[in-house]
Amino acid sequence: MRFQIREKVFSIGDKFTIKDQFGEDRYFARGKVFSLGNKLYLEDMQGNVLIYIEQKLFRLLPEYTLYKSDRPIAKVKRKFSLLRPKFEIESELGNFTVSGNYMAHEFSILKDETTVAKVSKKWFSFSDVYGLEVYYDELTEFLVALTIVIDQILYDKSNRD
């Protein structure tokens, strides 16, 4: 299944709309306004919170925790590297890694060495727009949330080293 993740430009706080391959709204992510650190909610179209994303404060490099039903399901940390960003992902859903060329805005998400999603970011777009191709439907919500976290780590002004 394919998705388009688009960040809304003129909004207070972070807001993303997630459409499926047919152009239908599938998910919505909204940031909590006036909070210390990023706090985002991935919701279905009925407003039910599917995954809560929280940035951990007072870290040398950005770190986020993803929660489902008030339980932590993953921790995503940016690791120190000189040439290109690297991530450490601890998850109860399996061993995830991210590989690819972030400068070319193309990367893959792997679970246990198997590609579960491919992500590409549009170069000449007024707002952040990602294409997300998910190969395992049961991981869709997690992969959408993970793509948003990677965007926050790489491109959010508050996370710049």
Side-chain angles (χ1 to χ4, degrees):
M1 174 140 308
R2 292 187 180 132
F3 298 91
Q4 180 187 68
I5 303 171
R6 178 181 296 271
E7 185 171 18
K8 293 189 177 186
V9 178
F10 298 110
S11 64
I12 297 173
D14 292 313
K15 289 187 180 171
F16 296 84
T17 336
I18 299 94
K19 295 182 179 285
D20 64 19
Q21 61 199 21
F22 307 108
E24 300 291 323
D25 289 345
R26 288 288 300 271
Y27 304 104
F28 184 72
R30 63 177 172 81
K32 193 171 186 179
V33 184
F34 305 120
S35 67
L36 293 173
N38 287 325
K39 293 174 177 50
L40 296 116
Y41 301 88
L42 178 64
E43 302 172 341
D44 62 18
M45 296 316 295
Q46 289 73 42
N48 300 309
V49 175
L50 305 171
I51 296 180
Y52 169 64
I53 302 165
E54 180 179 53
Q55 179 184 17
K56 298 300 176 188
L57 298 176
F58 309 113
R59 303 292 197 270
L60 182 60
L61 295 172
E63 180 180 325
Y64 287 78
T65 302
L66 285 72
Y67 297 87
K68 187 168 186 140
S69 304
D70 296 325
R71 267 189 23 249
I73 60 167
K75 186 181 291 183
V76 182
K77 299 179 189 178
R78 181 172 179 176
K79 294 173 67 175
F80 180 77
S81 64
L82 294 175
L83 299 177
R84 62 178 166 190
K86 292 186 179 181
F87 299 93
E88 177 182 319
I89 303 168
E90 299 172 10
S91 172
E92 69 176 29
L93 303 174
N95 297 316
F96 288 87
T97 55
V98 179
S99 70
N101 186 343
Y102 305 107
M103 298 309 287
H105 298 221
E106 302 281 333
F107 56 91
S108 297
I109 301 172
L110 294 87
K111 178 184 178 193
D112 301 320
E113 311 273 333
T114 301
T115 301
V116 293
K118 289 195 180 235
V119 181
S120 62
K121 183 177 179 187
K122 286 189 179 177
W123 274 96
F124 301 106
S125 177
F126 191 61
S127 64
D128 287 345
V129 179
Y130 288 89
L132 171 64
E133 190 166 357
V134 175
Y135 302 126
Y136 294 89
D137 289 343
E138 67 274 9
L139 295 172
T140 298
E141 295 164 4
F142 175 73
L143 294 169
V144 167
L146 185 57
T147 302
I148 291 170
V149 167
I150 291 169
D151 171 75
Q152 293 297 295
I153 291 173
L154 293 176
Y155 302 108
D156 192 70
K157 290 181 212 74
S158 66
N159 285 325
R160 296 274 156 79
D161 300 334

